[in-house]
């Protein structure tokens, strides 16, 4: 058989043009298909939004069975060394803790498996804390609210490697206050705090005239209330993640107070002082009581208020503290709640915990209550940094995960402040969701919130302040001690996911006329010389 060429007709048939009629483009049919697809998409989006909307609000009011006695962290033991310093020991360790009744979770704690003891010291005392790291990661311990040298601050520049011990030492030189301590390793703070590394640090001032007339017996009528939200998996492990649709961070569905789930407190005195600390990673609380009774707000971050503020609510964003005194009647029960907090942001607020409410702690009054003196009318001197012609010295724009358009850089000094100066800082939240703003080293005075005088609960010394969407707060700060051109303090958003993502900056305090020095990025192990702009 010889190969013969295919007949011409076959060749031609391979050309579609001469085969079956061409498929006609039918615009209407395509439009219809597109429309159906679009419709499906829209229905899907609506379903997702409805689902997110309805599943996102958490409400535990009336649903908490207060079956466990509130754990009160022990007061840390201390010794006085040869130099007259009060020395504490804190060991960061890992372990398992029964947070949810009947199950255990992997946790971290100081001198225990979850949270840490309460440190307590007096104004004028010199203290030292021996911090040993027995967890498997480098950590730090920062003294939130404390006025102290930058190299003792426990920020990201003072890492403690596994197995190491670090012993910061300083003199307590500020009014009586409820401070706290927690890790601050750059990029890992949320994880370390969530795992359980945190504790309270109470400062006393023997010269404070109000001190003796306020409830002050630790664990009896003066109670630490460390509030944290958690999310638990079925096997009892803490779930890091929670829901964070709104972008402000992890929000849990369960509340722990001092690590206790469903806690109650036996009250034995007419008045009880609660030292409220929002030690959550992202959640904002608006504390009040189940019967809406009024209470006295006597102190905030940096110490006692000028005078007690009588109110039914106190709002705390992460890192903030408030001391309240509540009056009880014999035999009654009342529940400390968190009501839906006004975080701003309209409908978006719902995705950032703005619709959530919780039963937090039940107070059970004994049939006979020991008498307590009334709360004094005046408590402490008011902050006095307010100057008539204060112009703005520095501006901080909060947006996304950046401050002034920059993410945290361990080797960059953002601001240089001169020793002895009093400055006005203006903080503007440019986002559609809330942030807050925390400054190390000093307590500040809130001058205004969106141009208006601050509400009375913001009239005392503060170190952390909520900034609602679109608003501006003005702060006055005085830098009186501890110049160190080479060791920065931090300022940052205390929503820990934001902080870790870079919403933080660094400032140094320098001698008048001096320039910022050299900062090392310990994490990367290299040194960069940065000339921060002297102000
Ligand atoms: Cu409580 Cu810089 O932190
Ligand atoms: Cu701090
Ligand atoms: Cu933030």
């Amino acid at each position: 058989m010889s190969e013969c060429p295919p007949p011409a007709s076959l060749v031609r048939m391979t050309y579609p043009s001469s085969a079956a009629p061409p498929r006609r483009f039918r615009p209407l049919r395509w439009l219809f298909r597109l429309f159906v697809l679009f419709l499906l998409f829209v229905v899907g989006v609506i379903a997702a939004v409805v689902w997110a909307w309805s599943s996102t609000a958490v409400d535990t009011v009336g649903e908490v069975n207060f079956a466990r006695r509130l754990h009160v962290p022990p007061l840390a033991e201390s010794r006085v060394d040869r130099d007259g310093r009060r020395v504490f020991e804190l060991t960061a360790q890992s372990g398992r803790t029964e947070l949810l009744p009947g199950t255990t979770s992997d946790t971290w704690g100081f001198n225990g498996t979850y949270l840490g003891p309460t440190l307590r010291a007096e104004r004028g005392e010199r203290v030292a804390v021996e911090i040993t790291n027995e967890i498997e990661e480098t950590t730090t311990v920062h003294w939130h609210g404390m006025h102290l040298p930058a190299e003792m601050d426990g920020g990201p520049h003072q890492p403690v490697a596994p197995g190491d011990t670090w012993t910061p030492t300083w003199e307590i030189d500020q009014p009586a206050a409820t401070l706290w301590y927690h890790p601050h390793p750059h990029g890992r703070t949320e994880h370390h705090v969530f795992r359980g590394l945190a504790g309270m640090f109470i400062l006393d001032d023997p010269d404070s005239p109000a001190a003796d007339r306020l409830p002050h017996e630790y664990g009896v009528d003066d109670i630490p209330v460390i509030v944290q939200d958690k999310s638990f998996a079925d096997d009892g492990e803490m779930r890091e993640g929670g829901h964070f649709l709104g972008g402000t961070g992890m929000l849990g569905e369960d509340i722990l107070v001092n690590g206790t789930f469903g806690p109650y407190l036996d009250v034995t005195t007419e008045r009880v002082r609660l030292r409220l600390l929002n030690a959550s990673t992202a959640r904002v609380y608006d504390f009040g009581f189940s019967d809406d009774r009024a209470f006295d707000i006597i102190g905030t971050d940096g110490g006692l208020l000028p005078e007690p503020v009588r109110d039914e609510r106190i709002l705390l964003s992460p890192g903030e503290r408030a001391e309240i005194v509540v009056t009880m009647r014999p035999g009654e029960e009342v529940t400390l709640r968190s009501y839906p907090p006004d975080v701003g942001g309209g409908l978006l607020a719902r995705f950032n915990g703005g619709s959530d409410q919780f039963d937090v702690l039940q107070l059970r009054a004994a049939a006979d209550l020991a008498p307590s003196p009334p709360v004094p009318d005046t408590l402490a001197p008011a902050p006095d940094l307010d100057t008539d012609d204060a112009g703005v010295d520095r501006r901080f724009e909060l947006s996304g995960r950046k401050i002034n358009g920059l993410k945290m850089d361990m080797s960059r000094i953002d601001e240089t402040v001169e020793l002895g100066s009093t400055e006005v800082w203006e903080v503007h939240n440019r986002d559609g969701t809330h942030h807050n703003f925390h400054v190390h080293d000093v307590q500040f005075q809130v001058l205004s919130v969106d141009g208006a005088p601050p509400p009375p609960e913001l009239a005392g010394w503060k170190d952390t302040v909520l900034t609602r969407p679109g608003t501006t707060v003005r702060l006055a700060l005085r830098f009186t001690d501890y110049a160190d051109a080479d060791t920065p303090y931090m300022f940052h958003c205390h929503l820990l996911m934001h902080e870790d993502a870079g919403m933080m900056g660094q400032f140094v305090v320098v001698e008048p006329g001096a320039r910022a020095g050299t900062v090392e990025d310990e994490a990367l192990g290299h040194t960069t010389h940065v000339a921060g702009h002297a102000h």
Side-chain angles (χ1 to χ4, degrees):
M1 285 261 288
S2 63
E3 289 187 29
C4 42
S9 61
L10 277 179
V11 173
R12 250 185 283 127
M13 276 182 68
T14 63
Y15 292 98
S17 57
S18 59
R23 298 184 59 176
R24 279 182 40 213
F25 178 62
R26 302 203 170 151
L28 273 179
R29 176 173 296 183
W30 278 104
L31 245 146
F32 179 72
R33 284 178 183 166
L34 271 175
F35 180 68
V36 169
L37 272 176
F38 175 72
L39 223 63
L40 283 173
F41 175 74
V42 167
V43 168
V45 166
I46 289 174
V49 167
V50 167
W51 174 82
W53 186 262
S54 54
S55 68
T56 196
V58 186
D59 182 354
T60 70
V61 166
E63 279 172 16
V64 177
N65 167 16
F66 297 101
R68 306 178 110 203
R69 186 184 299 271
L70 176 71
H71 169 72
V72 175
L75 284 172
E77 285 171 18
S78 61
R79 59 190 154 86
V80 176
D81 72 4
R82 278 179 292 132
D83 304 325
R85 299 181 310 182
R86 180 172 300 287
V87 184
F88 298 95
E89 287 172 29
L90 287 179
T91 301
Q93 58 192 77
S94 59
R96 293 188 68 80
T97 309
E98 187 181 347
L99 293 176
L100 274 191
T103 59
T104 57
S105 320
D106 265 323
T107 54
W108 289 346
F110 292 104
N111 304 357
T113 60
Y114 192 78
L115 297 179
T118 298
L119 274 54
R120 188 158 201 170
E122 273 185 7
R123 186 170 201 168
E125 264 189 308
R126 283 180 303 135
V127 298
V129 191
E130 289 174 3
I131 293 155
T132 303
N133 181 3
E134 284 181 4
I135 61 168
E136 56 270 27
E137 277 189 39
T138 293
T139 191
T140 84
V141 178
H142 164 61
W143 317 103
H144 182 127
M146 195 79 73
H147 178 48
L148 78 183
E151 57 179 359
M152 307 299 173
D153 190 41
H157 290 280
Q158 289 87 38
V160 190
D164 280 3
T165 296
W166 176 61
T167 309
T169 178
W170 70 95
E171 182 179 330
I172 305 292
D173 184 20
Q174 65 193 92
T178 302
L179 312 184
W180 64 302
Y181 59 93
H182 64 78
H184 216 300
H186 185 42
R188 295 291 283 169
T189 296
E190 180 184 46
H191 181 63
H192 287 215
V193 174
F194 188 80
R195 268 289 174 114
L197 291 176
M200 204 170 256
F201 201 142
I202 296 177
L203 300 186
D204 298 306
D205 185 348
D207 293 332
S208 157
D212 287 343
R213 295 163 60 206
L214 293 167
H216 61 273
E217 205 178 327
Y218 185 81
V220 177
D221 61 3
D222 183 353
I223 311 289
V225 178
I226 304 173
V227 183
Q228 298 176 302
D229 58 331
K230 297 289 177 201
S231 202
F232 290 98
D234 291 339
D235 61 1
E237 294 298 342
M238 292 190 289
R239 238 179 355 168
E240 223 161 309
H243 54 270
F244 47 109
L245 275 171
T248 54
M250 306 189 286
L251 299 174
E253 308 83 38
D254 291 307
I255 300 292
L256 302 180
V257 180
N258 304 342
T260 312
F261 178 83
Y264 66 87
L265 173 72
D266 287 318
V267 175
T268 57
T269 53
E270 254 170 35
R271 293 191 172 80
V272 62
R273 173 192 203 160
L274 304 178
R275 297 181 188 254
L276 304 170
L277 158 61
N278 181 349
S280 300
T281 56
R283 192 177 277 293
V284 177
Y285 301 96
D286 195 7
F287 293 108
F289 288 92
S290 46
D291 60 358
D292 280 329
R293 73 181 55 192
F295 49 85
D296 287 304
I297 307 167
I298 57 166
T300 53
D301 301 344
L304 296 175
L305 286 164
E307 51 201 39
V309 175
R310 192 102 185 132
D311 207 333
E312 290 157 18
R313 296 283 186 273
I314 178 72
L315 187 116
L316 296 181
S317 69
E320 288 185 291
R321 288 86 67 208
E323 297 180 28
I324 65 172
V325 173
V326 55
T327 304
M328 300 287 290
R329 285 181 300 270
E332 71 168 341
E333 287 180 359
V334 66
T335 301
L336 177 71
R337 266 189 194 152
S338 176
Y339 288 91
D342 173 15
V343 293
L347 293 180
L348 258 187
R350 189 179 177 92
F351 299 107
N352 294 309
S355 302
D356 297 352
Q357 51 180 357
F358 299 91
D359 273 352
V360 174
L361 170 68
Q362 188 181 57
L363 304 185
R364 299 181 181 170
D368 289 306
L369 296 175
S372 317
V375 172
D377 293 335
T378 58
L379 298 169
D384 53 356
L385 302 185
D386 200 354
T387 53
D388 289 339
D389 59 338
V392 174
D393 296 282
R394 297 171 205 275
R395 288 200 163 76
F396 300 87
E397 297 273 322
L398 309 181
S399 180
R401 312 289 149 87
K402 296 176 177 170
I403 299 179
N404 292 338
L406 295 172
K407 286 204 173 190
M408 164 77 169
D409 179 342
M410 294 268 292
S411 58
R412 184 190 67 230
I413 293 174
D414 298 278
E415 308 292 336
T416 303
V417 173
E418 285 190 357
L419 198 66
S421 60
T422 301
E423 298 202 348
V424 175
W425 291 13
E426 190 174 272
V427 184
H428 177 214
N429 177 351
R430 282 176 42 189
D431 283 339
T433 58
H434 64 280
H435 294 286
N436 69 9
F437 193 73
H438 168 53
V439 184
H440 289 208
D441 179 32
V442 292
Q443 295 284 335
F444 51 73
Q445 177 179 357
V446 179
L447 297 179
S448 65
V449 177
D450 256 1
E457 70 273 17
L458 296 183
W461 293 110
K462 293 281 294 171
D463 58 51
T464 308
V465 65
L466 177 70
T467 62
R468 292 191 175 86
T471 62
T472 300
V473 294
R474 268 189 191 214
L475 316 173
L477 315 85
R478 181 180 287 156
F479 300 89
T480 47
D481 306 284
Y482 312 131
D484 181 345
D486 300 315
T487 313
Y489 295 104
M490 306 295 130
F491 55 85
H492 58 90
C493 175
H494 217 288
L495 307 185
L496 299 184
M497 182 178 86
H498 290 179
E499 172 183 342
D500 282 341
M503 201 163 202
M504 177 154 66
Q506 314 194 92
F507 71 98
V508 286
V509 178
V510 300
E511 296 290 349
R515 300 179 71 90
T518 303
V519 202
E520 200 172 318
D521 181 348
E522 290 80 1
L524 300 173
H526 67 74
T527 304
T528 316
H529 182 81
V530 185
H533 51 99
H535 183 75

